[in-house]
């Protein structure tokens, strides 16, 4: 997650959340990741929510410290269990690009979220190929990601641009990320010369290299699940 992306998420969540709200963070990863690997996630998103008496429930398929509910969002029984908890907000951040089939996760968000609830979705926009454990290179525009939630009202959207924070070792583009590692640069250049080996990975590497000097960015949207209207 980008530093500025965490600020955007935290700011929008505080605007719409009220004391007593329950927020479900899907694909949450571990406490170690949120608090230490990328401490600004906890600083800008989860600590302010907790301080404002807003409950955040972290769920992931991997059982790690800091994951409150372990389960598979493609499992109907697990989805029904989450649905019964009645969450006012769902966060899905930097997850969809790691899914070969995004439809089950998107459908789960729609089903679990309470009527008039909000879903906050972020996905990389300009960011290099990265495995966790896979990367489909899903890099949607605002309209492209909103199409997946076309039944929901779009409340807020932005392409959030990353910036360089040298004192915290953040990089603003792919070049800054790799230019201190000559071996990695050589490896990437050699990889570009071998298109016949794992051609899909080669293609994704080429795309990443084409955007090597462009600032990192993320597509962020906030949508609202509307009440059903009976005519």
């Amino acid at each position: 997650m980008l530093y500025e992306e965490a600020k955007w998420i935290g700011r929008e969540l505080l605007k719409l959340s009220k004391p007593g709200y329950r927020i479900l963070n899907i694909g949450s990863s571990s406490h170690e990741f949120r608090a230490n690997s990328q401490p600004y996630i906890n600083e800008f998103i989860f600590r302010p929510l907790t301080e404002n008496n807003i409950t955040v429930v972290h769920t992931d398929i991997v059982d790690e410290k800091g994951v409150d509910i372990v389960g598979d969002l493609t499992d109907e029984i697990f989805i029904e269990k989450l649905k019964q908890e009645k969450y006012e907000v769902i966060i899905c951040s930097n997850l969809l690009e790691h899914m070969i089939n995004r439809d089950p996760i998107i459908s789960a968000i729609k089903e679990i979220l309470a009527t008039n609830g909000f879903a906050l979705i972020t996905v990389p926009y300009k960011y290099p190929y990265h495995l966790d454990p896979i990367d489909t290179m899903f890099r949607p525009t605002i309209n492209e990601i909103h199409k997946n939630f076309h039944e929901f009202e779009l409340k807020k959207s932005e392409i959030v641009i990353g910036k360089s924070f040298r004192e915290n070792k953040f990089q603003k583009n792919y070049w800054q990320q790799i230019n201190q590692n000559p071996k990695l640069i050589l490896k990437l250049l050699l990889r570009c010369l071998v298109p016949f080996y794992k051609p899909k990975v080669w293609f994704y590497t080429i795309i990443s290299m084409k955007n090597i000097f462009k600032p990192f960015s993320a597509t962020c949207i906030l949508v609202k699940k509307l009440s059903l209207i009976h005519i």
Side-chain angles (χ1 to χ4, degrees), residues 10 16 44 47 75 90-91 95 108 115 136 140 167-168 189 192 208:
L16 64 89
F44 294 122
R47 184 184 299 159
D75 180 352
I90 292 179
I91 306 170
L95 173 64
T115 301
T136 64
E167 67 275 16
N168 291 315
L189 291 174
C192 291
S208 297

Side-chain angles (χ1 to χ4, degrees), residues 13-14 17 23 45-54 56:
L13 288 178
L14 280 180
S17 299
I23 296 178
I45 302 175
F46 299 121
R47 184 184 299 159
L49 290 172
T50 301
E51 290 173 349
N52 283 272
N53 197 28
I54 296 160
V56 179

